[in-house]
Every structure is written in structure tokens, then in C-alpha cells.
Amino acid sequence: EGGKIINVYLHDEMKKIIEQWGNPSKAPDDYVFPVLTKGTSLLKQEADKWRYKRVSNNMLTKIGKELGFNVHLCINLARHSFATTLKLNGTPVSFISEALGHSNSITTTHYLKSLPDENVKQLSSSLLNFG
């Protein structure tokens, strides 16, 4: 209640995931996934969110190791990668901020990494293209 509304486009792959793992109830005020339960206390909801995040991160860590990744996979890495990829593709910070559910763009700058040196070089060179 009183939370920020986040609009998303549901790709076919996302629809499949929601169909398989989502909450059976499709009521507009229900949670998409059955991680939280309506009507429980905020304290219990916070505990449930942390438990879900911990379990998810443990599973992502295991998957990353099995795939031989040299980085520690976790939910926060996914959020940072999402935001950084959008930034590198020229997406406005205001859109990235909204997609991450931030109340303002200042919070979003925390997630955005500096552009790699090659991108800075390309962007700087493009300033000199007058014709």
C-alpha cells in the first residue's frame, strides 16, 4: 500500500516463468510470486524477503560455480548488470531509475558503473563529428 507502481513489459519468456512459478491468484493487488503473503505483518514480510533473497543467492552462487563463472552471481549483481547494460545502450537514467523502482534518479547513480574507457573514447570522438 502506498508503494511505487512499476510498469513492465511482459515478454513471452517472462509470462512462461510467471505461469510456472507465479502466484495462482491473478488478482491485481496480489503479489506476482508467492514469496510474500498478503495480510502478514511487515516484520514477517521483511524476514520472508531476506530468506528468499538468501536462498536465491545461494542457488545463483551454485549455478555460477557449475557454469565456471569467475564472478559471484547474486541478485544484486543482476540488478547492477541490468542498470549498467541499459546505461551503456544509451537508455536515459530516468527510465533506468523507474525500471529499478527507485523514487529518484539520485539513487540510481549508485547502481550505474562508469563507462569503460573504450566507450568514453568513442563518445568523446563523436563530439568531433561535425559533418
Side-chain angles (χ1 to χ4, degrees):
E1 292 180 46
K4 181 172 174 54
I5 294 175
I6 301 172
N7 294 310
V8 297
Y9 173 76
L10 292 178
H11 295 275
D12 289 339
E13 199 58 38
M14 292 170 72
K15 290 176 185 177
K16 289 178 191 173
I17 291 168
I18 292 170
E19 186 63 35
Q20 182 174 358
W21 301 101
N23 193 340
S25 169
K26 304 298 183 216
D29 61 340
D30 279 343
Y31 294 105
V32 175
F33 295 101
V35 175
L36 302 177
T37 307
K38 280 179 49 175
T40 59
S41 71
L42 290 178
L43 189 61
K44 169 127 176 49
Q45 285 187 5
E46 275 303 308
D48 289 345
K49 282 193 286 188
W50 281 107
R51 181 178 46 78
Y52 180 76
K53 186 176 180 179
R54 187 176 60 250
V55 169
S56 297
N57 283 337
N58 287 339
M59 291 168 66
L60 286 169
T61 297
K62 182 178 177 183
I63 291 168
K65 284 181 182 177
E66 287 179 15
L67 293 174
F69 289 176
N70 293 327
V71 296
H72 174 74
L73 291 186
C74 64
I75 292 171
N76 283 344
L77 178 64
R79 283 178 62 84
H80 287 269
S81 298
F82 171 75
T84 301
T85 300
L86 288 176
K87 178 183 175 188
L88 291 173
N89 288 329
T91 305
V93 174
S94 59
F95 177 86
I96 299 169
S97 181
E98 186 174 322
L100 292 173
H102 294 158
S103 57
N104 61 58
S105 295
I106 295 170
T107 305
T108 310
T109 58
H110 170 74
Y111 285 91
L112 300 177
K113 302 292 183 198
S114 295
L115 289 172
D117 289 342
E118 187 57 38
N119 289 39
V120 171
K121 182 179 173 183
Q122 271 184 327
L123 291 171
S124 295
S125 295
S126 72
L127 294 173
L128 301 175
N129 294 333
F130 299 113

